[in-house]
Amino acid sequence: GMQSHLQALLSLYKLFCPEQVTITLPGKMKTYFKNSEGPWKAAIAAVRQRNQGTSPLSQAVFLGTSQPQSRKRKWNSHLVIPASSTNINNLGEVGEKNHLDLYSTNTAFPVEQLQTFPQLLQNIHRLQFPSQMGSVLANPLLLHYMNCVKDESIYLRLYYWMGQALQEECTWCVVDNLNEEEFKSFLETVCKAECFLQEGFSACEEFLYKTLPLWDGFCCRSEILRLVSWIPLSNFSDIKSYLCDPLAQLFFTSSIYFKCSVLESLKELLQNWLNCNMIQVDSEFSS
């Protein structure tokens, strides 16, 4: 029989190849497939708003790309990296005990009280990562700790949080998001964290591959090109299709300054690859 998801699939076929679907389909049905032109319409709306100064809301309604506010925007109108908070169940009890011995080997060391590098060294075996992993980005001491503790779950937690933040706050992919300075500041913090760790985040790599085809080469240019320089070494076919091709389209139609900026970013990318490869070779040789 005709099931709803099969009807949705047939309706999609009928939209692009009407001669292939001869049966009659109901006019109203549940939407199972998102509009693939949404990101392009969002990019067009952003360019029109920037060049003409017209209302982005009216453009979004006209283009059919208006979106409800995200849950994050509903409760928090600003993009803020969370503060470090201890991820322990007895936080209230710890707060009530003013006589708590911070150097005791039986208790966890609260990350809120981590202020100096000697504290990190003395309590590194009792530290727990904060409940909100995003706070690690703005805390050099926790970045040191993250570099020492090679735990896959830590990187997964940061990957999910950062991927969601980048997706929701990207100013050229979300129609009603005009907080370019906030997004630029967030990208700057991410760039500093990558430089500190001397490695790129996988969430940033995915973000670049998805959004570079929509990027105008102007918005957050410095930060985007710095993120490009930390993309990890991978298959060249992926690098070419997801990175080089979108940059090439902008490269041949942009100013000399942009061309030099792209070349500088790719030079730094090559240097980071070489440094990473040398570290791996030295490690294998010593082992």
Side-chain angles (χ1 to χ4, degrees):
M2 290 299 295
Q3 301 179 26
S4 58
H5 55 276
L6 293 179
Q7 288 182 346
L9 185 59
L10 288 172
S11 67
L12 188 65
Y13 288 156
K14 194 166 187 176
L15 177 65
F16 292 99
C17 299
E19 71 281 358
Q20 299 294 331
V21 182
T22 58
I23 64 174
T24 302
L25 296 171
K28 294 183 179 180
M29 62 180 66
K30 183 179 179 180
T31 302
Y32 281 84
F33 304 98
K34 294 183 179 180
N35 187 356
S36 60
E37 298 178 355
W40 286 108
K41 290 182 178 180
I44 293 172
V47 171
R48 285 183 176 177
Q49 192 277 333
R50 194 161 52 241
N51 293 340
Q52 301 176 6
T54 54
S55 171
L57 180 60
S58 62
Q59 292 176 356
V61 174
F62 175 74
L63 293 172
T65 58
S66 58
Q67 302 172 351
Q69 281 189 319
S70 65
R71 184 178 303 174
K72 181 179 180 181
R73 282 292 178 187
K74 180 178 180 181
W75 298 106
N76 181 11
S77 60
H78 299 286
L79 173 59
V80 179
I81 295 178
S84 299
S85 59
T86 304
N87 187 20
I88 54 177
N89 296 327
N90 60 341
L91 180 60
E93 298 178 4
V94 173
E96 294 174 359
K97 296 179 181 179
N98 297 326
H99 60 280
L100 177 66
D101 182 9
L102 296 181
Y103 297 95
S104 170
T105 59
N106 299 323
T107 58
F109 187 84
V111 293
E112 297 93 333
Q113 301 185 28
L114 183 63
Q115 302 293 332
T116 64
F117 193 74
Q119 280 184 324
L120 173 66
L121 296 179
Q122 293 169 349
N123 299 279
I124 195 168
H125 59 291
R126 298 193 294 114
L127 277 176
Q128 291 182 351
F129 277 100
S131 54
Q132 293 180 292
M133 280 301 296
S135 62
V136 173
L137 295 177
N139 192 321
L141 294 176
L142 289 180
L143 287 175
H144 271 299
Y145 184 47
M146 182 176 174
N147 223 4
C148 295
V149 181
K150 298 300 182 181
D151 186 351
E152 188 66 24
S153 62
I154 296 169
Y155 288 89
L156 281 176
R157 287 177 58 194
L158 190 60
Y159 165 78
Y160 289 127
W161 178 85
M162 191 184 301
Q164 186 69 18
L166 290 170
Q167 178 182 343
E168 289 188 353
E169 306 299 335
C170 181
T171 53
W172 58 89
C173 291
V174 181
V175 176
D176 58 350
N177 188 357
L178 302 177
N179 299 302
E180 182 177 339
E181 290 302 319
E182 286 185 7
F183 187 58
K184 185 175 182 179
S185 176
F186 176 65
L187 292 181
E188 178 68 24
T189 301
V190 174
C191 291
K192 290 180 179 178
E194 288 187 331
C195 185
F196 187 94
L197 296 173
Q198 290 293 291
E199 62 178 328
F201 296 112
S202 55
C204 293
E205 180 184 13
E206 289 188 8
F207 165 73
L208 290 173
Y209 288 166
K210 290 179 180 178
T211 60
L212 278 180
L214 303 174
W215 185 47
D216 59 2
F218 176 78
C219 182
C220 305
R221 175 191 296 165
S222 175
E223 291 73 23
I224 291 297
L225 292 180
R226 285 170 64 189
L227 289 180
V228 167
S229 67
W230 285 109
I231 290 178
L233 180 62
S234 58
N235 187 282
F236 176 73
S237 61
D238 294 337
I239 293 290
K240 181 181 184 303
S241 58
Y242 294 122
L243 174 67
C244 297
D245 290 347
L247 286 179
Q249 294 181 11
L250 293 170
F251 185 88
F252 293 116
T253 58
S254 300
S255 64
I256 295 295
Y257 177 79
F258 181 83
K259 290 180 172 65
C260 294
S261 300
V262 171
L263 292 176
E264 177 70 16
S265 176
L266 295 179
K267 185 198 76 171
E268 293 177 357
L269 175 62
L270 180 59
Q271 289 177 338
N272 292 331
W273 283 351
L274 292 173
N275 290 335
C276 181
N277 186 64
M278 288 300 298
I279 293 174
Q280 292 178 354
V281 169
D282 291 342
S283 177
E284 294 173 357
F285 180 78
S286 60
S287 62

